[in-house]
Amino acid sequence: MDSWKGAFFEQGRQSIKIPVPVYIRASASIAGSKEGDGPLGDLFDMVGVDDKFGSNTWEEAESTLQKETLQLAIGKAGLSGEDIRFLLAGDLLAQSMASSFGLASFQIPLIGLYGACSTCGLSLAMAAALIVGGMAQYVASVTSSHFASAEKEFRYPLGYGNQRPLSATWTVTGSGAFILSSLKGKKDRAVITGLTIGKIVDLGMKDSMNMGACMAPAASSLICQHFADFGRTPEDYDQIITGDLGLVGQRVLLDMLAEKGFDLSGKHMDCGIEIYDEKQDAHAGGSGCGCSAVVLSALILKKLEEGEWKRVLFVPTGALLSKTSFNEGKSIPGIAHALVLERCS
Amino acid sequence: MDSWKGAFFEQGRQSIKIPVPVYIRASASIAGSKEGDGPLGDLFDMVGVDDKFGSNTWEEAESTLQKETLQLAIGKAGLSGEDIRFLLAGDLLAQSMASSFGLASFQIPLIGLYGACSTCGLSLAMAAALIVGGMAQYVASVTSSHFASAEKEFRYPLGYGNQRPLSATWTVTGSGAFILSSLKGKKDRAVITGLTIGKIVDLGMKDSMNMGACMAPAASSLICQHFADFGRTPEDYDQIITGDLGLVGQRVLLDMLAEKGFDLSGKHMDCGIEIYDEKQDAHAGGSGCGCSAVVLSALILKKLEEGEWKRVLFVPTGALLSKTSFNEGKSIPGIAHALVLERCS
């Protein structure tokens, strides 16, 4: 009896194998004006002219972002809201308010998640797990962030015009939504073939204006564990893509992985670095739950579709802090979750 | 092709059937001093003498609660942290800080969840889904709340000594942890045999001092959908147990269900009503992520073990608000998730 485990899909210490295909049937991305002006501007499905997206508050603006993005993704999949079994969603606001007010009208059973800026990875991972487990045919994942609601939530009122050090990142205004399915469609964007769930890594760093450095150890730990769990090396991937480490975090990550014997140079990409141009004064890069989500939908899935990449490791990263924990002098632990994404054959 | 769905475990519109047993191998509850003085005081595994639990801040106190409770549950299950595949956790603090700082030392892959006070139900539901899906042998679920950290997060500094209307609930200081397994043990506390995932229900109520009334419509919707999905009626349950509706919410729920033709009188229980004595001045009852969690571990599982009940429906309820949403004049939507718990045969 004790030899039967029932845990058929365990893979190594932190991973889940995906023996039946989980298809990304469709996705959508809506971004703010600054993101629209950046290098990926033409790739987003929609770009807001007004960053309030017609709403009265920044929080409502973020809720509107989630709502419109999910609606767009469901439409692109040729489905209606009733076809979606579960909604997996989260954001950076206290008590996940962007999701609560953005998603109520869909009337889809909601699984609320929190992994800071890694929530896009966590929600896709849990969505894939529900499909692999036979619990749903269609599942949707949606995450968002908004520069102005995040500044208000974590830092200073925008009106203060406070200065930012060069190691700081700029919270992306944007939302990405994904429709996952157990059914092969006519034109799926990619397939999810593996998951690695991260643990909290806390090296004691406390600088909220250098979140890349706070998160890089978690990304390094997760990537090493992923390689161990699946018996793979960087050679097995065309690209390894972190969420929002930015320029400082990227350097820390590459150094930490080099110490472990993994050379990622030439095949590491960070969504936070890709989303803004150097001239846009975003300093170390973009961040937020929306950052990896919009880059996944607009850029990464596109490159998989076009065949430029065959298999990538997508690793959204999160910094676990609140303004209370920061004010109480706590450290900023990191977490990261990974998905193996492959080109649909 | 399109007739094969792969969604073997779908049940009705919002539910998941559990065809292989998910055992609650062990559980633990630690509560604060006020809860210790209440009617369930003798049933908790531990009661804090000092509600700071040896910590310097209320937030650290809540983190300590989670840490100690999880450690106790793992020990009771005869396991070590390494045996636990995934940790599913959440709390009420902004950005789930109690979990982030309480659970880091376990070094177990973390799936962070947010469902307000329904998080205990959500985390158990997702834990059960991961086990049914074959993704883990042992999974742990832990949630918490703390009166003082919640007052600070949502309402007024304790020092103000502000008055509370009789419809207000008192946030429970406590944490409950549960070890779920695909393996039958020698002395499992109960079996999970069904899940219903809730959607957001917003009737426009805005009174944060009457959260029971804000959540009751979600509980009513969820319970009705559960009956429809499983083809059951109240007769199929020995008890239907909501999380933290309190006295006002209970009345609203029973009225709403009566309108739908379901009579729950005599078999409805609310964790928030059970946890405090009328003399304790907690007004409408207890609330918080810790409320349903400690009552489940201390009372509900005990009654299932002792055979007083054979099958209950456990329905933790959540009010989706933040201090920002409240200050911006938004409504307080509700959500609820349900688990079918049965006596181990």
Side-chain angles (χ1 to χ4, degrees), chain A residues 180-212:
Chain A
L180 274 56
S181 180
S182 56
L183 286 175
K184 185 166 171 52
K186 284 189 190 133
K187 226 183 139 191
D188 296 303
R189 300 206 70 190
V191 188
I192 300 171
T193 62
L195 309 173
T196 305
I197 304 295
K199 51 192 188 183
I200 298 172
V201 176
D202 185 0
L203 298 192
M205 270 169 289
K206 294 185 173 191
D207 185 356
S208 72
M209 290 293 168
N210 188 358
M211 290 199 291

Side-chain angles (χ1 to χ4, degrees), chain A residues 59 62-63 66 89-103 110-116 119 144 149 153-154 289 321-324, chain B residues 59 62 90-99 112-119 122 144-146 148-155 171 200 208 211 288-289 318-327 330-335:
Chain A
E59 291 76 19
E62 190 176 341
S63 291
Q66 280 207 13
D91 59 86
L92 294 175
L93 299 184
Q95 289 83 37
S96 300
M97 280 302 109
S99 304
S100 296
F101 288 100
L103 304 176
L110 174 70
I111 295 162
L113 294 157
Y114 185 74
T119 307
S144 67
S149 63
E153 177 72 36
F154 291 99
C289 293
L321 84 162
S322 74
K323 63 182 164 240
T324 307
Chain B
E59 291 76 18
E62 189 176 341
D91 59 86
L92 293 176
L93 301 184
Q95 290 81 39
S96 301
M97 281 301 108
S99 305
L113 294 158
Y114 185 74
C117 307
S118 75
T119 307
L122 181 61
S144 67
S145 53
H146 191 298
S149 63
E151 287 296 304
K152 181 170 156 187
E153 177 72 34
F154 291 98
R155 286 168 285 267
T171 307
I200 298 171
S208 72
M211 290 198 291
C289 292
L320 300 168
L321 83 163
S322 73
K323 64 182 162 239
T324 306
S325 74
F326 177 78
N327 286 337
K330 307 286 280 185
S331 59
I332 303 175
I335 195 163

Side-chain angles (χ1 to χ4, degrees), chain A residues 319-330:
Chain A
L320 300 168
L321 84 162
S322 74
K323 63 182 164 240
T324 307
S325 73
F326 177 78
N327 287 336
E328 289 178 350
K330 307 287 281 185

Side-chain angles (χ1 to χ4, degrees), chain A residues 20-39:
Chain A
V20 295
V22 174
Y23 301 96
I24 301 182
R25 171 68 60 91
S27 75
S29 59
I30 303 183
S33 56
K34 187 182 178 88
E35 293 70 26
D37 290 339

Side-chain angles (χ1 to χ4, degrees), chain A:
Chain A
M1 185 68 188
D2 247 49
S3 64
W4 181 79
K5 304 200 335 166
F8 313 112
F9 303 142
E10 283 189 3
Q11 175 87 35
R13 282 192 68 79
Q14 290 180 222
S15 298
I16 293 172
K17 60 187 155 195
I18 308 275
V20 295
V22 174
Y23 301 96
I24 301 182
R25 171 68 60 91
S27 75
S29 59
I30 303 183
S33 56
K34 187 182 178 88
E35 293 70 26
D37 290 339
L40 309 183
D42 293 341
L43 302 179
F44 301 125
D45 292 302
M46 286 166 69
V47 170
V49 185
D50 160 24
D51 281 349
K52 275 206 172 153
F53 295 90
S55 305
N56 289 323
T57 66
W58 298 121
E59 291 76 19
E60 273 181 29
E62 190 176 341
S63 291
T64 304
L65 257 178
Q66 280 207 13
K67 184 177 176 174
E68 297 296 328
T69 310
L70 177 60
Q71 194 60 59
L72 195 55
I74 292 173
K76 280 182 170 191
L79 300 170
S80 74
E82 288 182 7
D83 299 313
I84 309 294
R85 187 75 182 179
F86 301 117
L87 206 46
L88 294 99
D91 59 86
L92 294 175
L93 299 184
Q95 289 83 37
S96 300
M97 280 302 109
S99 304
S100 296
F101 288 100
L103 304 176
S105 63
F106 289 94
Q107 289 294 292
I108 301 171
L110 174 70
I111 295 162
L113 294 157
Y114 185 74
C117 307
S118 75
T119 307
C120 171
L122 181 60
S123 65
L124 286 167
M126 293 307 289
L130 287 170
I131 287 175
V132 172
M135 276 142 223
Q137 182 173 359
Y138 294 110
V139 176
S141 145
V142 56
T143 54
S144 67
S145 52
H146 191 297
F147 173 73
S149 63
E151 288 296 305
K152 181 171 156 186
E153 177 72 36
F154 291 99
R155 285 169 287 268
Y156 301 99
L158 287 182
Y160 282 20
N162 67 304
Q163 292 204 335
R164 307 150 51 82
L166 291 175
S167 59
T169 48
W170 187 277
T171 306
V172 166
T173 298
S175 174
F178 305 87
I179 311 298
L180 274 56
S181 180
S182 56
L183 286 175
K184 185 166 171 52
K186 284 189 190 133
K187 226 183 139 191
D188 296 303
R189 300 206 70 190
V191 188
I192 300 171
T193 62
L195 309 173
T196 305
I197 304 295
K199 51 192 188 183
I200 298 172
V201 176
D202 185 0
L203 298 192
M205 270 169 289
K206 294 185 173 191
D207 185 356
S208 72
M209 290 293 168
N210 188 358
M211 290 199 291
C214 299
M215 296 185 285
S220 168
S221 158
L222 194 278
I223 291 168
C224 290
Q225 189 64 51
H226 175 84
F227 289 154
D229 286 351
F230 285 88
R232 289 184 185 163
T233 69
E235 302 307 307
D236 293 299
Y237 293 94
D238 294 313
Q239 201 80 195
I240 291 167
I241 306 164
T242 47
D244 53 357
L245 296 182
L247 292 165
V248 178
Q250 179 183 50
R251 212 184 314 165
V252 178
L253 174 70
L254 295 180
D255 282 355
M256 292 186 89
L257 286 174
E259 273 181 27
K260 302 273 183 191
F262 296 117
D263 179 12
L264 257 60
S265 53
K267 59 171 63 178
H268 177 255
M269 188 182 111
D270 183 71
C271 299
I273 297 175
E274 296 299 312
I275 197 164
Y276 299 121
D277 188 280
E278 215 178 301
K279 293 192 290 279
Q280 286 185 285
D281 205 22
H283 297 351
S287 60
C289 293
C291 179
S292 52
V294 297
V295 175
L296 174 61
S297 178
L299 181 69
I300 301 169
L301 293 180
K302 181 170 179 281
K303 291 203 180 220
L304 285 165
E305 276 174 342
E306 292 172 352
E308 185 174 333
W309 298 331
K310 293 214 163 43
R311 183 200 276 163
V312 302
L313 188 65
F314 177 60
V315 191
T317 39
L320 300 168
L321 84 162
S322 74
K323 63 182 164 240
T324 307
S325 73
F326 177 78
N327 287 336
E328 289 178 350
K330 307 287 281 185
S331 58
I332 303 175
I335 194 163
H337 303 289
L339 293 104
V340 181
L341 303 174
E342 301 195 29
R343 176 172 159 74
C344 267
S345 49

Side-chain angles (χ1 to χ4, degrees), chain B residues 45-86:
Chain B
D45 292 302
M46 287 166 68
V47 170
V49 185
D50 161 24
D51 281 347
K52 275 206 173 153
F53 294 90
S55 305
N56 289 322
T57 66
W58 298 121
E59 291 76 18
E60 273 180 30
E62 189 176 341
S63 291
T64 303
L65 258 179
Q66 280 209 12
K67 184 177 174 173
E68 299 294 329
T69 310
L70 178 59
Q71 194 61 61
L72 194 57
I74 292 173
K76 281 182 169 189
L79 300 171
S80 75
E82 288 181 8
D83 298 314
I84 309 296
R85 187 75 182 179
F86 300 117

